[in-house]
Structures are given as C-alpha cells and as structure tokens.
Amino acid sequence: MPGRSRPVEPLERSELRRLRALTRKSLRERRGAFLLEGFRAVETALERPGRADLLVLTPRARDHERAPALLAAAGELGIPVREAPEEDLTSLADTTAPSGIVARIRWDPPRDPSGQEAAEGLRRLGVRRLLCLDGVSDPGNAGTLLRTADALGITGALLGRGTVEAGNPKTARAAAGSLLRFDYLAEEVRLPAVLAALETGGWTVWRAESSGGERPEEEA
C-alpha cells in the first residue's frame, strides 16, 4: 500500500462521544455507520474506497509492523487518522483485549427490500450467488457464515428478519471485514416473499436446516 501517511492528531472528546454512540444499534442505523476493529478487518475496509471515513489507533498500535502500510493507505484515501489512549479504544472495542485500532465504516444497506427491489439490485450488480440467513440471531455465527460465503466467492447476502445486523460489533468482528466485500447485502429481508420472487425470476434456491431436512438428491 504505497503512499504518504497523513498527520496523526489526538482524538477529540467530541469525536470519542460520537464514536461511542455507534455501540448502540439504533444510532448505528440512524447514522449509517458502525465500528470495525482489528488490523485485518481495517485493511479490508481500506481496499474498498468510500467505506472507512475515520481511523483511530493507540500508540501501541502505531508501533505494530502492519501500521505503516495501513497509515499510508489511509493517507492515499484522505481518511483522517486519530490517536487515542488505550482506555478510550477499550471503551469502543467489543473485546476484552482490543487490538488498538478501530475504523468508522459507512454502512447503510437496503432494509426490507421488496422482491422486485432485491432482484433489480442483484441484477444491476451482477450477483449470481447469494447467502440467505434466516433467523441467525447469534452474532458470531452470522459473522462466520458471512466470512465463509466470501471465501467461497459468494457476492451477495440477504439477512432475513430475526437475523442479527451485519454491523453488530460481534458480527463484524467474526466476519473479519468480509461483509464489506459483498456487492449486495440487504437486512431485515422478508425472505419467503423475496425468495419466491427470485425463484420466479429463474433463481435456484437451496435450503439448509440446522436439524432435520433431506439431502438435495433425496428430495421429490
């Protein structure tokens, strides 16, 4: 990541208050942003211009071997960088042993799209394969499924009603930045109606159940 780092200034208290507000789901949705923690996840965010709009790290994190390249990338993208004490970063992080680096991510996915809206978004973005999560309420499980789907080359995701939001801190951390790679991701989706519309449009839908169900080749 070549480039020249921008000056690193102290994090102001007003900025810290705005960042702390993003630990609440209602304010994440209202402000269209969430916090992403960890070097790997932040590096992924910086590969997607326009996603991160603020980077905060501790003095310890600035000494990390991956910090120079990351700061250079932030400088190339014009992203402000702030330094904050460990205790301030701890108040933002969702882990007991935070990595010392957090990025604010712009995030306002489609919510409750109609079948037609979802189909049009998928068509426009060239998405051919989707992961659909129905009632996955555990953030760690949801994030792991999103990360696995990304590794398999799946470029779209529909998070049905009852599924935890992608910007939940535990979900975002478990996804390790993968959720930012999806070309299309929608939340609060009424899956039965949207999947029916997609099937009508020629999509093939495969369903997996946590218990019971039948193997695909055994279905009638």
Side-chain angles (χ1 to χ4, degrees):
M1 297 180 184
R4 189 174 184 179
S5 300
R6 303 183 76 189
V8 178
E9 301 177 356
L11 182 71
E12 297 181 359
R13 305 312 293 178
S14 59
E15 291 177 312
L16 178 61
R17 286 193 296 271
R18 288 193 292 271
L19 292 174
R20 281 177 177 160
L22 297 179
T23 60
R24 298 168 54 188
K25 178 182 177 181
S26 60
L27 290 179
R28 286 195 295 270
E29 292 184 354
R30 186 184 309 168
R31 298 184 180 182
F34 72 90
L35 299 179
L36 188 62
E37 179 190 348
F39 276 94
R40 178 182 173 187
V42 172
E43 287 167 348
T44 300
L46 296 182
E47 294 170 0
R48 301 292 187 273
R51 283 296 193 186
D53 64 6
L54 180 66
L55 188 63
V56 184
L57 72 172
T58 63
R60 172 177 57 88
R62 284 192 68 181
D63 291 333
H64 194 282
E65 61 181 6
R66 297 163 81 168
L70 192 148
L71 292 174
E76 288 285 343
L77 295 169
I79 299 171
V81 180
R82 302 285 186 263
E83 185 174 287
E86 295 281 349
E87 56 268 27
D88 287 348
L89 259 290
T90 300
S91 72
L92 300 176
D94 188 58
T95 59
T96 55
S99 62
I101 184 167
V102 170
R104 183 173 60 199
I105 304 298
R106 295 172 180 167
W107 185 252
D108 189 21
R111 292 188 173 90
D112 193 18
S114 67
Q116 182 177 353
E117 290 169 338
E120 172 57 27
L122 295 167
R123 183 199 63 77
R124 184 179 68 254
L125 296 169
V127 176
R128 299 287 185 176
R129 294 193 295 169
L130 278 170
L131 171 70
C132 302
L133 301 183
D134 183 16
V136 181
S137 58
D138 182 270
N141 289 344
T144 299
L145 287 166
L146 289 167
R147 187 177 74 246
T148 303
D150 172 47
L152 293 173
I154 293 173
T155 58
L158 302 179
L159 278 55
R161 293 192 165 193
T163 295
V164 65
E165 55 160 336
N168 176 285
K170 289 184 173 65
T171 305
R173 188 175 72 252
S178 286
L179 65 92
L180 301 178
R181 292 195 176 101
F182 288 102
D183 294 326
Y184 183 89
L185 187 150
E187 299 181 337
E188 300 176 15
V189 178
R190 301 170 196 254
L191 283 175
V194 171
L195 291 179
L198 293 177
E199 285 185 294
T200 299
W203 283 71
T204 299
V205 177
W206 297 90
R207 296 175 174 85
E209 299 184 18
S210 59
S211 60
E214 298 179 354
R215 294 175 61 86
E217 62 267 25
E218 295 174 356
E219 292 184 347

